[in-house]
Amino acid sequence: MRTLYFDLSMGAAGDMITAALLELVPDREKALETLNGMGIPEVCFQAETSENNGITGTYMKVLARGMDEAEFQEAEFEHRHAHGHESHEHSHDHTHSHEGHDHDHGHTHSHEGHEHSHGHTHGHGNMHMADVAHIIESLNVSEQVKQDALGVYKLIAEAESKAHGCPVEMVHFHEVGALDAIADVTAACYLMELIKPEQVLSSPVHVGNGTVKCAHGILPVPAPATANILEGLPYYKGEIMSELCTPTGAALVRFFTDRFVQERPEIGADAAAGRGIGKKKFDKPNCLTAYIRCEMTPTSSAQSAKW
Protein backbone atom coordinates (compact mmCIF):
# COMPACT_ATOMS: atom_id res chain seq x y z
CA MET A 1 0.00 0.00 0.00
CA ARG A 2 1.32 3.43 -0.97
CA THR A 3 1.49 5.25 2.36
CA LEU A 4 2.23 8.88 3.14
CA TYR A 5 3.32 9.74 6.68
CA PHE A 6 3.47 13.25 8.14
CA ASP A 7 5.89 13.85 11.01
CA LEU A 8 4.21 16.75 12.84
CA SER A 9 6.63 16.89 15.77
CA MET A 10 7.31 20.54 14.88
CA GLY A 11 3.73 21.42 14.10
CA ALA A 12 1.78 21.91 10.89
CA ALA A 13 1.63 24.95 8.63
CA GLY A 14 0.22 25.18 5.11
CA ASP A 15 3.39 26.32 3.40
CA MET A 16 5.51 23.72 5.19
CA ILE A 17 3.15 20.93 4.18
CA THR A 18 3.22 22.21 0.59
CA ALA A 19 7.02 22.39 0.60
CA ALA A 20 7.37 18.85 1.98
CA LEU A 21 4.97 17.45 -0.61
CA LEU A 22 6.73 19.32 -3.43
CA GLU A 23 9.94 17.47 -2.57
CA LEU A 24 8.12 14.15 -3.09
CA VAL A 25 6.93 14.71 -6.67
CA PRO A 26 9.12 13.48 -9.56
CA ASP A 27 9.26 16.78 -11.46
CA ARG A 28 9.33 19.66 -8.99
CA GLU A 29 9.91 22.37 -11.58
CA LYS A 30 6.90 21.26 -13.61
CA ALA A 31 4.77 21.06 -10.47
CA LEU A 32 5.84 24.56 -9.44
CA GLU A 33 5.04 25.83 -12.94
CA THR A 34 1.57 24.31 -12.62
CA LEU A 35 1.07 25.94 -9.21
CA ASN A 36 1.90 29.33 -10.69
CA GLY A 37 -0.49 28.67 -13.57
CA MET A 38 -3.49 27.73 -11.43
CA GLY A 39 -4.90 31.23 -11.68
CA ILE A 40 -4.98 32.42 -8.07
CA PRO A 41 -5.19 36.23 -8.48
CA GLU A 42 -1.91 38.05 -7.89
CA VAL A 43 -0.25 35.06 -6.19
CA CYS A 44 3.21 33.70 -6.94
CA PHE A 45 4.89 30.56 -5.55
CA GLN A 46 8.65 30.52 -5.03
CA ALA A 47 10.34 27.32 -3.82
CA GLU A 48 13.72 27.96 -2.22
CA THR A 49 16.32 25.56 -0.84
CA SER A 50 16.65 26.35 2.85
CA GLU A 51 18.50 25.12 5.94
CA ASN A 52 17.34 25.18 9.56
CA ASN A 53 19.54 23.88 12.39
CA GLY A 54 21.45 21.59 10.06
CA ILE A 55 18.43 20.19 8.19
CA THR A 56 18.07 21.11 4.52
CA GLY A 57 14.77 21.17 2.67
CA THR A 58 12.43 23.49 0.80
CA TYR A 59 11.00 26.77 1.98
CA MET A 60 7.83 27.66 0.09
CA LYS A 61 7.47 31.40 -0.25
CA VAL A 62 4.05 32.65 -1.32
CA LEU A 63 3.73 36.22 -2.57
CA ALA A 64 0.21 37.67 -2.52
CA ARG A 65 -0.01 41.05 -4.25
CA GLY A 66 3.78 41.19 -4.16
CA MET A 67 4.02 40.72 -0.39
CA ASP A 68 4.98 37.70 1.64
CA GLU A 69 3.41 37.11 5.02
CA ALA A 70 6.05 39.00 7.01
CA GLU A 71 5.89 42.06 4.73
CA PHE A 72 2.10 42.09 4.87
CA GLN A 73 2.08 41.88 8.67
CA GLU A 74 4.61 44.69 8.95
CA ALA A 75 2.53 46.89 6.65
CA GLU A 76 -0.61 46.16 8.69
CA PHE A 77 1.22 46.89 11.94
CA GLU A 78 2.49 50.23 10.66
CA HIS A 79 -0.93 51.17 9.32
CA ARG A 80 -2.69 50.42 12.59
CA HIS A 81 -0.23 52.39 14.65
CA ALA A 82 -0.11 55.32 12.25
CA HIS A 83 -3.90 55.73 12.21
CA GLY A 84 -4.92 54.43 15.61
CA HIS A 85 -6.02 50.86 16.22
CA GLU A 86 -9.50 51.66 17.47
CA SER A 87 -10.43 53.76 14.47
CA HIS A 88 -10.85 50.78 12.15
CA GLU A 89 -13.48 48.11 11.93
CA HIS A 90 -12.07 44.63 12.38
CA SER A 91 -13.10 41.55 10.53
CA HIS A 92 -13.86 38.32 12.33
CA ASP A 93 -10.99 36.25 11.01
CA HIS A 94 -7.56 35.72 12.44
CA THR A 95 -6.07 35.58 8.98
CA HIS A 96 -3.96 32.54 9.46
CA SER A 97 -3.17 32.09 5.88
CA HIS A 98 0.38 31.62 4.86
CA GLU A 99 2.28 29.86 7.44
CA GLY A 100 5.85 29.30 6.80
CA HIS A 101 6.73 28.84 10.39
CA ASP A 102 8.17 32.19 10.06
CA HIS A 103 6.33 32.32 12.92
CA ASP A 104 6.50 30.28 14.62
CA HIS A 105 5.57 28.56 11.68
CA GLY A 106 5.35 31.38 9.51
CA HIS A 107 1.75 32.07 10.02
CA THR A 108 0.56 35.07 11.57
CA HIS A 109 -1.13 35.34 14.59
CA SER A 110 1.42 37.26 13.53
CA HIS A 111 0.26 34.92 11.12
CA GLU A 112 2.67 32.50 11.57
CA GLY A 113 4.67 35.08 12.89
CA HIS A 114 2.27 35.00 15.47
CA GLU A 115 0.29 37.74 16.50
CA HIS A 116 -3.12 37.09 14.92
CA SER A 117 -3.55 39.71 12.34
CA HIS A 118 -7.10 40.96 12.13
CA GLY A 119 -8.06 42.36 8.76
CA HIS A 120 -9.42 45.85 8.47
CA THR A 121 -12.07 47.16 6.18
CA HIS A 122 -9.74 49.86 4.92
CA GLY A 123 -7.55 49.58 1.86
CA HIS A 124 -6.92 45.93 1.29
CA GLY A 125 -10.50 44.61 1.63
CA ASN A 126 -12.02 41.42 2.99
CA MET A 127 -13.41 38.20 1.57
CA HIS A 128 -16.23 35.92 2.68
CA MET A 129 -16.44 32.16 2.16
CA ALA A 130 -18.46 32.71 -1.03
CA ASP A 131 -15.58 34.79 -2.46
CA VAL A 132 -13.06 32.11 -1.53
CA ALA A 133 -15.24 29.40 -3.11
CA HIS A 134 -15.58 31.45 -6.31
CA ILE A 135 -11.79 31.72 -6.65
CA ILE A 136 -11.21 28.02 -5.97
CA GLU A 137 -13.93 26.94 -8.41
CA SER A 138 -12.37 29.08 -11.17
CA LEU A 139 -8.85 27.64 -10.83
CA ASN A 140 -7.07 25.70 -13.56
CA VAL A 141 -6.97 22.42 -11.62
CA SER A 142 -8.95 19.19 -11.65
CA GLU A 143 -12.42 18.94 -10.12
CA GLN A 144 -10.99 16.67 -7.43
CA VAL A 145 -8.45 19.29 -6.37
CA LYS A 146 -11.19 21.94 -6.29
CA GLN A 147 -13.43 19.77 -4.13
CA ASP A 148 -10.57 18.92 -1.78
CA ALA A 149 -9.54 22.58 -1.48
CA LEU A 150 -13.13 23.63 -0.76
CA GLY A 151 -13.38 20.89 1.85
CA VAL A 152 -10.22 22.07 3.61
CA TYR A 153 -11.19 25.74 3.49
CA LYS A 154 -14.66 24.97 4.87
CA LEU A 155 -12.98 23.45 7.92
CA ILE A 156 -11.17 26.76 8.43
CA ALA A 157 -14.32 28.83 7.93
CA GLU A 158 -16.34 26.65 10.31
CA ALA A 159 -13.61 26.89 12.95
CA GLU A 160 -13.50 30.70 12.65
CA SER A 161 -17.30 30.82 12.74
CA LYS A 162 -17.35 28.85 15.99
CA ALA A 163 -14.54 30.95 17.49
CA HIS A 164 -16.33 34.24 16.75
CA GLY A 165 -19.92 33.15 17.20
CA CYS A 166 -21.09 34.18 13.75
CA PRO A 167 -22.48 32.27 10.73
CA VAL A 168 -19.93 30.78 8.34
CA GLU A 169 -21.09 33.06 5.52
CA MET A 170 -20.39 36.11 7.71
CA VAL A 171 -16.79 35.22 8.56
CA HIS A 172 -14.39 37.77 7.06
CA PHE A 173 -11.00 36.78 5.66
CA HIS A 174 -8.56 39.59 4.96
CA GLU A 175 -8.00 39.59 1.22
CA VAL A 176 -4.21 39.20 1.22
CA GLY A 177 -4.35 36.58 3.97
CA ALA A 178 -7.15 34.72 2.21
CA LEU A 179 -5.22 34.61 -1.07
CA ASP A 180 -2.24 33.26 0.83
CA ALA A 181 -4.34 30.55 2.49
CA ILE A 182 -6.06 29.64 -0.80
CA ALA A 183 -2.58 29.24 -2.30
CA ASP A 184 -1.38 26.93 0.50
CA VAL A 185 -4.56 24.86 0.54
CA THR A 186 -4.90 24.43 -3.22
CA ALA A 187 -1.19 23.74 -3.69
CA ALA A 188 -1.23 21.01 -1.05
CA CYS A 189 -4.37 19.45 -2.58
CA TYR A 190 -2.80 19.50 -6.06
CA LEU A 191 0.40 17.87 -4.83
CA MET A 192 -1.58 15.22 -2.97
CA GLU A 193 -3.29 14.43 -6.28
CA LEU A 194 0.13 13.98 -7.92
CA ILE A 195 1.50 11.78 -5.13
CA LYS A 196 -1.65 9.64 -4.93
CA PRO A 197 -1.21 8.04 -1.49
CA GLU A 198 -3.54 5.16 -0.72
CA GLN A 199 -3.45 6.01 2.97
CA VAL A 200 -2.17 8.93 5.02
CA LEU A 201 -0.76 8.53 8.52
CA SER A 202 0.18 11.40 10.82
CA SER A 203 1.89 11.78 14.16
CA PRO A 204 0.10 13.64 16.96
CA VAL A 205 0.30 17.38 16.28
CA HIS A 206 2.74 19.52 18.25
CA VAL A 207 0.88 22.83 18.59
CA GLY A 208 3.44 24.77 20.62
CA ASN A 209 2.92 26.60 23.89
CA GLY A 210 2.57 30.04 25.39
CA THR A 211 0.25 32.74 24.16
CA VAL A 212 -0.53 34.80 21.08
CA LYS A 213 -1.70 38.41 20.91
CA CYS A 214 -4.75 39.41 18.93
CA ALA A 215 -7.29 42.21 18.92
CA HIS A 216 -9.39 40.24 21.39
CA GLY A 217 -6.54 40.08 23.90
CA ILE A 218 -3.89 37.55 24.89
CA LEU A 219 -4.96 34.03 23.97
CA PRO A 220 -3.37 30.69 24.81
CA VAL A 221 -1.85 28.41 22.17
CA PRO A 222 -3.49 26.75 20.32
CA ALA A 223 -5.54 29.69 19.10
CA PRO A 224 -9.33 29.16 19.14
CA ALA A 225 -9.71 28.40 15.42
CA THR A 226 -6.85 25.90 15.49
CA ALA A 227 -8.22 24.23 18.62
CA ASN A 228 -11.64 23.95 16.96
CA ILE A 229 -10.16 22.22 13.91
CA LEU A 230 -8.10 19.83 16.02
CA GLU A 231 -10.95 18.95 18.38
CA GLY A 232 -10.98 15.19 18.92
CA LEU A 233 -7.56 14.67 17.33
CA PRO A 234 -4.31 13.93 19.22
CA TYR A 235 -2.20 17.03 19.85
CA TYR A 236 0.13 18.28 22.56
CA LYS A 237 1.72 21.57 23.63
CA GLY A 238 5.33 20.69 24.43
CA GLU A 239 7.96 23.14 25.68
CA ILE A 240 8.46 25.42 22.67
CA MET A 241 6.96 28.79 23.55
CA SER A 242 5.58 29.60 20.14
CA GLU A 243 2.62 28.73 17.96
CA LEU A 244 3.58 25.76 15.79
CA CYS A 245 0.26 24.75 14.28
CA THR A 246 -1.87 27.13 12.24
CA PRO A 247 -5.51 26.82 11.18
CA THR A 248 -4.50 26.11 7.58
CA GLY A 249 -2.03 23.43 8.63
CA ALA A 250 -4.51 21.91 11.07
CA ALA A 251 -7.25 21.82 8.41
CA LEU A 252 -5.01 20.10 5.85
CA VAL A 253 -3.94 17.51 8.41
CA ARG A 254 -7.51 16.86 9.53
CA PHE A 255 -8.83 16.60 5.97
CA PHE A 256 -6.21 14.20 4.59
CA THR A 257 -5.16 12.04 7.54
CA ASP A 258 -6.70 8.57 7.64
CA ARG A 259 -5.06 7.54 10.89
CA PHE A 260 -2.94 9.08 13.64
CA VAL A 261 -0.14 6.94 15.08
CA GLN A 262 1.66 7.51 18.38
CA GLU A 263 5.07 6.43 17.15
CA ARG A 264 6.68 6.81 13.78
CA PRO A 265 6.08 3.81 11.50
CA GLU A 266 9.00 1.78 10.22
CA ILE A 267 9.98 4.00 7.32
CA GLY A 268 12.54 1.81 5.58
CA ALA A 269 15.60 2.78 3.58
CA ASP A 270 13.66 2.93 0.32
CA ALA A 271 11.22 5.60 1.52
CA ALA A 272 11.35 9.06 -0.03
CA ALA A 273 11.39 12.02 2.36
CA GLY A 274 10.24 15.57 1.69
CA ARG A 275 11.14 18.36 4.11
CA GLY A 276 9.30 21.65 4.45
CA ILE A 277 11.49 24.20 6.23
CA GLY A 278 10.32 27.08 8.42
CA LYS A 279 12.19 30.34 8.90
CA LYS A 280 11.88 30.62 12.67
CA LYS A 281 14.83 29.29 14.66
CA PHE A 282 14.34 26.99 17.65
CA ASP A 283 16.64 24.66 19.58
CA LYS A 284 15.69 21.89 17.14
CA PRO A 285 15.16 21.98 13.35
CA ASN A 286 11.99 23.79 12.35
CA CYS A 287 10.98 21.22 9.79
CA LEU A 288 7.92 19.23 8.73
CA THR A 289 8.81 15.93 7.09
CA ALA A 290 6.60 13.81 4.83
CA TYR A 291 7.60 10.23 3.96
CA ILE A 292 6.21 8.11 1.13
CA ARG A 293 6.74 4.41 0.48
CA CYS A 294 4.81 1.45 -0.89
CA GLU A 295 4.75 -0.40 2.41
CA MET A 296 4.80 1.29 5.79
CA THR A 297 3.60 -0.62 8.81
CA PRO A 298 3.51 0.25 12.52
CA THR A 299 6.15 -1.45 14.67
CA SER A 300 3.88 -1.85 17.70
CA SER A 301 0.21 -2.08 18.54
CA ALA A 302 0.36 1.39 20.07
CA GLN A 303 1.25 2.84 16.71
CA SER A 304 -1.93 1.57 15.14
CA ALA A 305 -4.16 3.42 17.58
CA LYS A 306 -6.79 5.43 15.78
CA TRP A 307 -8.49 8.63 16.88
Side-chain angles (χ1 to χ4, degrees), residues 170-206:
M170 296 301 293
V171 173
H172 294 171
F173 299 98
H174 190 285
E175 188 173 14
V176 173
L179 290 173
D180 186 273
I182 292 169
D184 285 338
V185 167
T186 311
C189 291
Y190 165 70
L191 294 170
M192 287 291 286
E193 182 181 58
L194 289 185
I195 294 169
K196 294 181 173 59
E198 295 174 84
Q199 71 168 342
V200 179
L201 308 180
S202 292
S203 71
V205 187
H206 186 182

Side-chain angles (χ1 to χ4, degrees), residues 137-177:
E137 288 167 354
S138 68
L139 297 180
N140 183 29
V141 292
S142 71
E143 287 303 315
Q144 185 61 58
V145 171
K146 292 178 185 179
Q147 290 306 307
D148 287 348
L150 284 170
V152 173
Y153 219 103
K154 285 177 181 176
L155 289 175
I156 299 171
E158 289 167 358
E160 294 286 3
S161 169
K162 182 177 178 181
H164 296 289
C166 66
V168 169
E169 61 270 18
M170 296 301 293
V171 173
H172 294 171
F173 299 98
H174 190 285
E175 188 173 14
V176 173

